[in-house]
Amino acid sequence: MKALKRSLLAAVAALGLGGGAQAATFASAILDINNFRLLHSGGAAYSTSDFSVLTGTNDAHATGARNGLFANGSASFGILSGFTPNVAHQCVGAPCPPLAEDNFLPFTAPPPVPGTFGHADQAMSGSAISIGGGPVGVHAQTRADASSSVNAVASGNSSVGTSTTFSFTLGSSDTMNIAFDATPYSIAYVSAGAGPVSNANARLSWAINILNLTAGGVSIFDFTPAALNGLSAVSRTDGLPGTSVYNAALTMMSFSAVTPLLLAGNTYQITIEHNTLANVLQQQVPEPASLSILAAGLLGMSLLSRRRRL
């Protein structure tokens, strides 16, 4: 009888039902865009004097979520207002990570990061064109983090986007050179034994698109660099535990692309999208077969105990 009890207690410990260390899942995505500029074919920056109409907004949001609870922040300013959005970091967690506002560096310690949380942050400064003769260059940063050390679903999401409508008043048509630097980073981690449906996912997305509104809204230009999109997607599952990291060395990358000829007098719309996303799921529930074995053992122990009393 004592031997049977010892074996059943060992089975409980092996199944994770007797307490002890928790498994973990973790994901994080960070995108730092710097010195983003819109340039003439000759290399000079576009300025407000180049447009007869120039309207649009800089919009941003940050959302942290955990088990259906959300923390949201958003901001929007006109592109000529002199202000840019800087959304306060958002977090739902137990506890939230000890990150300062506008901290866009990866966690220094390897995963797992303690706690169960969804966290996001965003910041933006500068302008892609010269406004009133001012300096040129946008700095836009986003991050999203999600971690789970218990049965939970957690996610982080943050974005910054610019939607601008303008028309040229140049003496002659010109192209537009899009130039910027970027430091992307993403990581996904799932510990061994995290649970039968546990997973962690992190990814980035960045794109710029130009429509010719005069020609009925046809798309004339799209730039979606793979290094800031599909290549950044990392994931891990309970079937493939461990860590996957994209751009672990935080290497800064330079990007540029030239539009087709933009016709003077035509109205064009530029849309820039910049997003980071991280989500995790952990379900530390024993598999049905393991539960059946454990239940049968406990039933056997009960019957033996009853027989001895009889």
Side-chain angles (χ1 to χ4, degrees):
M1 182 65 182
K2 290 182 179 179
L4 178 59
K5 285 184 178 180
R6 284 195 297 269
S7 64
L8 286 172
L9 289 174
V12 169
L15 290 170
L17 301 177
Q22 292 280 1
T25 56
F26 172 75
S28 180
I30 302 172
L31 181 54
D32 188 328
I33 301 291
N34 199 16
N35 201 26
F36 179 88
R37 295 152 292 148
L38 301 178
L39 307 174
H40 285 283
S41 58
Y46 277 92
S47 69
T48 50
S49 62
D50 293 322
F51 310 102
S52 61
V53 176
L54 182 58
T55 62
T57 59
N58 290 316
D59 305 300
H61 88 273
T63 300
R66 172 180 175 268
N67 289 348
L69 299 177
F70 295 86
N72 297 289
S74 62
S76 180
F77 294 99
I79 60 173
L80 300 179
S81 68
F83 298 96
T84 52
N86 188 337
V87 178
H89 61 174
Q90 304 293 314
C91 185
V92 178
C96 286
L99 290 175
E101 181 75 20
D102 294 342
N103 181 342
F104 296 97
L105 295 175
F107 287 94
T108 55
V113 174
T116 298
F117 58 81
H119 171 265
D121 200 1
Q122 176 276 332
M124 180 180 179
S125 61
S127 173
I129 64 173
S130 177
I131 300 177
V136 179
V138 171
H139 192 191
Q141 300 164 288
T142 59
R143 77 174 300 151
D145 311 284
S147 180
S148 177
S149 58
V150 295
N151 290 356
V153 178
S155 67
N157 177 272
S158 59
S159 72
V160 56
T162 303
S163 179
T164 305
T165 302
F166 62 91
S167 63
F168 283 102
T169 57
L170 301 175
S172 60
S173 302
D174 200 356
T175 59
M176 182 175 286
N177 182 20
I178 290 89
F180 63 96
D181 300 319
T183 305
Y185 174 83
S186 54
I187 182 172
Y189 167 83
V190 172
S191 68
V197 293
S198 298
N199 60 74
N201 304 276
R203 64 178 176 85
L204 314 171
S205 66
W206 190 96
I208 181 170
N209 176 262
I210 300 179
L211 305 179
N212 186 334
L213 301 183
T214 301
V218 62
S219 176
I220 63 164
F221 177 76
D222 182 83
F223 182 47
T224 309
L228 305 182
N229 289 274
L231 292 179
S232 72
V234 293
S235 64
R236 285 284 174 163
T237 67
D238 59 288
L240 186 64
T243 305
S244 294
V245 185
Y246 176 68
N247 196 27
L250 298 179
T251 301
M252 186 177 70
M253 309 174 187
S254 295
F255 299 88
S256 65
V258 180
T259 71
L261 188 67
L262 302 175
L263 302 175
N266 277 213
T267 300
Y268 298 92
Q269 177 175 291
I270 292 181
T271 300
I272 302 169
E273 295 183 350
H274 170 151
N275 295 279
T276 49
L277 176 67
N279 61 74
V280 297
L281 167 65
Q282 182 164 316
Q283 187 171 348
Q284 289 175 262
V285 179
E287 297 176 1
S290 300
L291 285 174
S292 298
I293 293 171
L294 180 61
L298 292 174
L299 177 60
M301 179 184 288
S302 175
L303 291 175
L304 282 174
S305 177
R306 182 179 179 186
R307 182 179 300 174
R308 291 189 64 177
R309 288 198 302 270
L310 294 175

